[in-house]
Amino acid sequence: MRFDIECIRVYSYPFQALKLRVKSLNYKQVVVSPIVNRVEKVDYQTVENTLKRINEAQLDFTVFKKTSSIPNAGLGVYLSGQDQRKGTIVSFYPGLIYMPYEPILLASIANQYILKCVDGVFVDGKPTGLSRRIYQSIYKRENWPGAIQISDETWLNDNTLNPLAIGQYVNNGMSSAPFEPNVCYQEVDLPVQFPNHLRRYIPNMYWNTQTDPLSNHAMRVVVLVALRDIKVGEELFSTYMDIVK
């Protein structure tokens, strides 16, 4: 057994942002007992196949937002369409990607949508405020007319090109029913040879202009994978620390 991913939603900014370089004791995280219904780690081909199904309008399910079944938890994410099997990618965590040494402090203030990956990479999934403006600016920089479209910005709005790109609204589950986790976060790095025509569905970009997913750097995505079979109408519940077999 090993820790394949540790994606932690970060709270208590901006003070906590000044400490995250040296320790993680102040992160709000849920450490669950080893998950019984473990799933294998997905690879980039699984992501590619999911995006192909979206591109060809062959996806037999979608996810949508509505008030969470957890009291006072705000919005949640629910499954619709067809029941989905264990191991299926059911959502993507969108947002701008920062390396551990890059300037995320201002964007992190009062931001509940920052996810920290096991290697220290951050994903800012906030669709409003400064985070939104930064993402839109970088999107225009990277997707100028005539260039290969390498990312998607429609997740900032309700009419999303990738209907699964609402993973930032998935709530953390609990250790007891009916809120037990049914999805886990997994990091996947898409190689530079990833099909260009599918990149327009990727709801992520790098903040750094020197990090080019078309030539010199794999494209990081964070997906939410079903830990068990999930039925239509169920709310998705995650765990901020996942143990993958």
Side-chain angles (χ1 to χ4, degrees), residues 165-234:
I166 57 172
Q168 76 273 41
Y169 295 105
V170 173
N171 283 307
N172 187 50
M174 303 178 184
S175 59
S176 58
F179 308 122
E180 292 176 315
N182 53 15
V183 298
C184 68
Y185 294 100
Q186 290 196 27
E187 301 167 2
V188 184
D189 289 332
L190 309 180
V192 295
Q193 67 266 27
F194 193 81
N196 287 338
H197 72 285
L198 297 178
R199 291 182 181 272
R200 67 193 187 103
Y201 298 104
I202 298 173
N204 305 98
M205 291 185 299
Y206 287 106
W207 176 86
N208 192 332
T209 58
Q210 302 303 312
T211 307
D212 183 6
L214 294 178
S215 64
N216 64 23
H217 202 283
M219 184 68 232
R220 170 65 56 83
V221 296
V222 177
V223 295
L224 286 89
V225 180
L227 287 168
R228 58 167 174 79
D229 294 352
I230 301 177
K231 294 186 177 298
V232 168
E234 280 194 71

Side-chain angles (χ1 to χ4, degrees), residues 136-153:
Q136 288 177 321
S137 176
I138 293 178
Y139 178 85
K140 292 177 181 177
R141 179 195 73 191
E142 298 296 328
N143 296 277
W144 42 271
I148 295 173
Q149 187 174 349
I150 63 171
S151 54
D152 173 40
E153 69 167 346

Side-chain angles (χ1 to χ4, degrees), residues 19-244:
K19 302 176 183 178
L20 57 84
R21 299 294 189 274
V22 293
K23 62 181 179 179
S24 61
L25 296 178
N26 292 327
Y27 293 154
K28 182 173 181 180
Q29 66 183 46
V30 175
V31 180
V32 298
S33 58
I35 299 168
V36 174
N37 296 316
R38 298 184 182 93
V39 292
E40 298 295 333
K41 184 168 174 55
V42 301
D43 55 21
Y44 81 88
Q45 287 97 343
T46 307
V47 176
E48 180 178 337
N49 290 336
T50 301
L51 296 183
K52 279 183 180 178
R53 292 170 66 195
I54 293 174
N55 183 59
E56 297 168 1
Q58 294 182 351
L59 204 64
D60 64 353
F61 75 100
T62 190
V63 288
F64 66 97
K65 298 177 291 182
K66 75 172 185 178
T67 302
S68 176
S69 59
I70 298 177
N72 304 312
L75 292 174
V77 175
Y78 295 78
L79 183 74
S80 69
Q82 299 292 324
D83 297 348
Q84 294 303 304
R85 301 291 299 274
K86 173 181 174 180
T88 302
I89 294 174
V90 292
S91 193
F92 287 75
Y93 198 101
L96 195 61
I97 300 172
Y98 293 84
M99 296 302 177
Y101 48 83
E102 291 173 345
I104 194 174
L105 177 59
L106 290 180
S108 71
I109 297 173
N111 188 344
Q112 301 181 31
Y113 298 103
I114 293 177
L115 217 64
K116 184 190 177 191
C117 297
V118 69
D119 57 0
V121 169
F122 293 92
V123 185
D124 181 4
K126 187 177 181 181
T128 59
L130 180 61
S131 297
R132 178 188 182 92
R133 292 193 292 273
I134 294 174
Y135 192 96
Q136 288 177 321
S137 176
I138 293 178
Y139 178 85
K140 292 177 181 177
R141 179 195 73 191
E142 298 296 328
N143 296 277
W144 42 271
I148 295 173
Q149 187 174 349
I150 63 171
S151 54
D152 173 40
E153 69 167 346
T154 62
W155 66 271
L156 295 169
N157 307 302
D158 288 333
N159 187 21
T160 57
L161 185 64
N162 179 345
L164 306 184
I166 57 172
Q168 76 273 41
Y169 295 105
V170 173
N171 283 307
N172 187 50
M174 303 178 184
S175 59
S176 58
F179 308 122
E180 292 176 315
N182 53 15
V183 298
C184 68
Y185 294 100
Q186 290 196 27
E187 301 167 2
V188 184
D189 289 332
L190 309 180
V192 295
Q193 67 266 27
F194 193 81
N196 287 338
H197 72 285
L198 297 178
R199 291 182 181 272
R200 67 193 187 103
Y201 298 104
I202 298 173
N204 305 98
M205 291 185 299
Y206 287 106
W207 176 86
N208 192 332
T209 58
Q210 302 303 312
T211 307
D212 183 6
L214 294 178
S215 64
N216 64 23
H217 202 283
M219 184 68 232
R220 170 65 56 83
V221 296
V222 177
V223 295
L224 286 89
V225 180
L227 287 168
R228 58 167 174 79
D229 294 352
I230 301 177
K231 294 186 177 298
V232 168
E234 280 194 71
E235 182 173 1
L236 304 184
F237 297 114
S238 67
T239 171
Y240 297 153
M241 179 176 288
D242 302 311
I243 301 174
V244 180

